[in-house]
Amino acid sequence: MIFEHLRLDLQEGILIVTLDRESALNAINMATMDSLHRLFGQYIPDHDEITGVVLTGAGPKAFAAGADIKEFAEFSAQEGKHLSAKGHETYFLIEKSRVPVIAAVNGYALGGGCELAMACHMRIAGEHAKFGQPEVNLGLIPGYGGTQRLIQYIGKGKALELLLTADLINAEEALRLGLVNHVVPSGQEVETSRKLLLRISEKGPVAVRKVIEAVNAYFTEATDGFHFEVESFGYACGTQDFREGASAFVEKRKPQFTGH
Ligand code: DAK
């Protein structure tokens, strides 16, 4: 499968995905969106050897400086709506991925780029990273979930402030607000993310998947997250992974999970 504008590198089960349009600060054009859609919709689900994904941007300046302004500048209302729906679909595929996805934010994460980072399960920021939703500067609103996910991380008041002023925040402020999980020295974003995912890859794969699903359930309209947790707990109790995890504890050894 060919993924335009993406570079892939599989290391010890962790897939490093690099947005590869450095000359445009990795701005997300339609081809990139299509690649992300196929990657998370088909490729990753079809490859069981992938236990985690790191998403980052090429070069030292940007994770992604937004949707590609040059491409969407001439869009009609109908085209805009269509593209927004496609973006939502893609970002939901990331959020619902069976394996954890970490955004390694190595610079600007603006507009559609910030929205992409927010669709990931966790964010590790380099110390020079900058975050923002500057759409109102262009007479637009976020079109890839920014109005919804920013609230989930930083709360309504602060989200409204950032969305309405288009102000950018630095990595430390993003950490303070709860938008990112950790801030690391520039250049160490990917390695820190990879190590975190390697630790998670030692856990029971079914449990990891069910935790992601249960946390997502909290934010899914008409889904009772507590009920979902009860069902998922029961499911996990019936797995070989749980037998193995419990036996390994009793026998004082490391568990060998199979994901069944
Ligand atoms: N799109 C296209 N090209 C971009 C870009 C972007 N978002 N951001 C940067 N570039 C390009 C620049 O045009 C420049 O290209 P050349 O002129 O060299 O050809 C190159 O990347 C380097 O950028 P700069 O020369 O500007 O670099 P600086 O270091 O001086 O400034 C900057 C860095 C990040 C502050 C600046 O590039 C900047 O302000 N960029 C734009 C940030 C921004 O406003 N991003 C867009 C947010 S709005 C939609 C759904 C979603 C969205 C839109 C529509 N639909 C469903 C239709 C989302 C919209 C957004 O993301």
Side-chain angles (χ1 to χ4, degrees):
M1 235 187 238
I2 292 182
F3 299 102
E4 206 180 342
H5 305 310
L6 299 183
R7 232 184 309 133
L8 307 188
D9 179 18
L10 184 65
Q11 298 176 17
E12 298 174 272
I14 309 299
L15 185 68
I16 318 277
V17 180
T18 305
L19 300 172
D20 201 12
R21 292 186 76 217
E22 189 176 348
S23 62
L25 300 186
N26 305 316
I28 301 160
N29 59 8
M30 285 188 281
T32 310
M33 188 63 84
D34 186 59
S35 294
L36 286 169
H37 193 282
R38 285 184 294 108
L39 181 73
F40 284 94
Q42 290 169 40
Y43 185 86
I44 292 171
D46 282 353
H47 286 77
D48 286 344
E49 70 276 22
I50 298 172
T51 59
V53 180
V54 179
L55 201 51
T56 193
K61 270 184 80 171
F63 173 74
D68 190 319
I69 300 173
K70 293 166 190 167
E71 193 177 62
F72 71 66
E74 301 296 324
F75 276 9
S76 66
Q78 199 52 37
E79 286 169 319
K81 193 170 157 185
H82 176 73
L83 188 70
S84 178
K86 168 95 183 199
H88 276 263
E89 210 179 286
T90 305
Y91 286 17
F92 272 126
L93 287 172
I94 297 172
E95 191 169 72
K96 293 179 179 173
S97 163
R98 71 172 168 82
V99 296
V101 184
I102 298 184
V105 183
N106 54 312
Y108 290 109
L110 306 181
C114 187
E115 291 169 299
L116 179 59
M118 290 194 291
C120 298
H121 301 120
M122 288 171 269
R123 284 142 296 284
I124 306 287
E127 58 199 350
H128 69 295
K130 285 208 158 57
F131 298 81
Q133 296 288 158
E135 284 86 351
V136 289
N137 285 338
L138 301 168
L140 276 180
I141 74 163
Y144 295 150
T147 60
Q148 305 303 297
R149 290 197 179 94
L150 193 57
I151 298 169
Q152 294 172 9
Y153 294 114
I154 71 174
K156 184 178 175 186
K158 205 64 194 174
L160 273 167
E161 182 183 334
L162 294 189
L163 291 162
L164 293 173
T165 61
D167 284 348
L168 306 191
I169 56 171
N170 63 23
E172 279 306 325
E173 179 70 349
L175 181 67
R176 196 183 69 77
L177 291 173
L179 183 56
V180 304
N181 295 65
H182 300 281
V183 178
V184 298
S186 296
Q188 291 184 19
E189 305 87 351
V190 171
E191 191 49 21
T192 307
S193 305
R194 211 177 67 82
K195 283 190 175 141
L196 184 50
L197 288 169
L198 279 174
R199 281 177 49 215
I200 297 170
S201 72
E202 292 174 358
K203 317 299 179 197
V206 177
V208 167
R209 175 162 56 86
K210 286 292 175 192
V211 165
I212 292 172
E213 288 176 7
V215 171
N216 282 339
Y218 177 84
F219 299 102
T220 307
E221 205 186 339
T223 299
D224 179 344
F226 286 99
H227 177 71
F228 189 89
E229 186 183 273
V230 169
E231 292 293 322
S232 301
F233 184 85
Y235 182 88
C237 281
T239 61
Q240 290 170 22
D241 274 359
F242 172 54
R243 302 276 163 272
E244 168 62 9
S247 306
F249 174 77
V250 172
E251 294 161 19
K252 299 187 188 301
R253 60 174 174 82
K254 256 183 115 171
Q256 298 292 320
F257 293 118
T258 58
H260 297 289

